[in-house]
Amino acid sequence: MSAAPKSDPGLFDYWPYDSRPKIEWPGGARVALWIAPNIEFYEYAPPANPQRKPWPRPLPDIQGYGTRDYGNRVGHQRMMRVMDQYGLRGSVSLSTAMLKHHPEVIQMAAERNWEFFSHGIYNTRYTYGMDEAQEREMIAHSMALITEHTGQHCDGYLAPALSHSDATIDLFAEAGGLYACDLFHDDQPTPVKTRSGKRFVSVPYSLELNDTIVYVTNKIEPRRYGQMIKDAFDRLYAEGENSGTVMCVPLHAYQVSHPHRLAAFHDAMDYICSHDKVWKATGREIAQHYLDKHYDDALASMAAINAEDAA
């Protein structure tokens, strides 16, 4: 049976960008900058999912596997050194199988006081086809592994390989999460409706600046990628004078950290961090600040706009 037609996800109201209460970031910052390294594990021969192939070539795809293994062997350390130089802590979108397969990588991130949030177990096992009980178990297991191995509570979620379901937000909120990155719909945090009524936030995560989208899907050259990051920052920084904005740079070490690409990221971070009024934050810090300082005002603003539209 096909799903019933829906006009929208039902997770958030329309809320015009120029009709919102002012967001104030710590220290008077204009932009909350967060870097989201995806630290992932791709299985060489994962179980089949009828809705999506794990590799573009027939199994075994040694080329696809080896490229991603490069990130875990070489790329993370290169990327970390650049981030260290500019005092940037990562918010790790973590395939929690990495805790078993490559704990050394996790240790390097933990030593830097990086945040860890769930990106599922493996990036080759999708939400597609799961019922709610199966997805709930996957979410709970990934959160428990993060706490067990890092001592952190898992506050954020990005569905494995972006394989989101209609229940994902509700299930993660019910499991104790604070924010999700799966909605891609705004340049500021926004309240998200949950069936439990729990306070929950969407934190902006950029597909446009995601290095895999840039390099693999849009086939953009490194120097242009670096300029895109700077151009995005310039716009968000200017708008942030009136109300705080969020800039996310999602990274994959098997993309950004190749020798011919790293300089573009390095140059972009050098440019951004030469500005004052930039809050070098984590996803958790952005979500918590918004929940504490702006969430209630946002709900009141949306209610007033909806009442006006209904009148």
Side-chain angles (χ1 to χ4, degrees):
M1 179 182 294
S2 61
K6 295 177 68 175
S7 61
D8 66 69
L11 294 169
F12 45 84
D13 292 323
Y14 176 66
W15 194 28
Y17 191 45
D18 60 355
S19 302
R20 303 174 183 177
K22 182 177 182 178
I23 292 177
E24 295 183 348
W25 295 133
R30 297 184 182 187
V31 176
L33 170 69
W34 70 296
I35 310 298
N38 289 262
I39 298 185
E40 300 168 331
F41 197 92
Y42 288 76
E43 299 160 284
Y44 183 55
N49 185 304
Q51 298 191 51
R52 180 171 175 176
K53 293 181 179 180
W55 300 111
R57 291 150 49 95
L59 295 179
D61 188 350
I62 188 64
Q63 174 182 317
Y65 177 84
T67 294
R68 286 152 180 82
D69 196 35
Y70 177 90
N72 291 331
R73 290 172 175 271
V74 179
H76 287 302
Q77 295 179 59
R78 280 199 185 124
M79 182 175 62
M80 286 175 178
R81 285 195 291 269
V82 173
M83 293 174 66
D84 288 347
Q85 183 175 345
Y86 295 103
L88 296 166
R89 289 173 296 139
S91 299
V92 175
S93 174
L94 180 64
S95 296
T96 55
M98 281 289 294
L99 296 162
K100 171 185 175 183
H101 291 287
H102 297 306
E104 301 87 352
V105 175
I106 308 308
Q107 181 62 31
M108 288 188 292
E111 289 170 354
R112 290 165 165 79
N113 193 31
W114 285 14
E115 178 192 355
F116 297 93
F117 66 90
S118 175
H119 195 29
I121 311 296
Y122 288 98
N123 216 39
T124 39
R125 300 198 187 188
Y126 311 119
T127 304
Y128 305 129
M130 288 186 179
D131 60 30
E132 279 202 25
Q134 292 169 323
E135 188 177 5
R136 182 183 293 108
E137 169 59 25
M138 183 266 289
I139 289 171
H141 185 45
S142 68
M143 294 175 74
L145 285 171
I146 286 173
T147 299
E148 176 186 350
H149 289 270
T150 72
Q152 294 187 22
H153 185 269
C154 174
D155 288 320
Y157 194 73
L158 183 71
L162 308 185
S163 57
H164 196 269
S165 83
D166 281 340
T168 298
I169 297 292
D170 289 322
L171 292 172
F172 185 64
E174 289 161 14
L178 294 181
Y179 74 95
C181 319
D182 280 301
L183 300 181
F184 318 116
H185 69 303
D186 217 292
D187 286 326
Q188 293 178 320
T190 55
V192 176
K193 300 175 184 178
T194 62
R195 65 190 179 191
S196 64
K198 182 179 176 183
R199 294 157 65 92
F200 195 84
V201 177
S202 170
V203 173
Y205 178 100
S206 175
L207 290 182
E208 296 296 324
L209 297 182
N210 183 308
D211 56 357
T212 292
I213 302 298
V214 167
Y215 288 131
V216 178
T217 304
N218 294 337
K219 303 187 186 310
I220 292 169
E221 63 182 8
R223 72 180 67 185
R224 178 63 188 135
Y225 178 44
Q227 188 61 49
M228 285 169 58
I229 296 173
K230 291 190 279 188
D231 289 346
F233 172 78
D234 285 344
R235 172 57 57 187
L236 292 169
Y237 191 77
E239 293 178 359
E241 183 175 10
N242 297 318
S243 182
T245 56
V246 175
M247 180 171 181
C248 179
V249 184
L251 302 174
H252 300 75
Y254 65 86
Q255 300 287 2
V256 74
S257 296
H258 280 282
H260 67 293
R261 289 176 174 165
L262 190 67
F265 173 63
H266 193 167
D267 179 61
M269 294 303 101
D270 187 72
Y271 176 76
I272 291 172
C273 294
S274 70
H275 292 72
D276 60 3
K277 299 186 183 303
V278 175
W279 180 27
K280 300 174 184 178
T282 63
R284 175 191 290 123
E285 288 170 345
I286 294 168
Q288 192 62 64
H289 180 88
Y290 189 81
L291 283 163
D292 292 343
K293 304 292 186 181
H294 300 292
Y295 184 91
D296 292 333
D297 288 343
L299 291 183
S301 169
M302 286 187 284
I305 290 171
N306 289 335
E308 182 178 314
D309 290 342

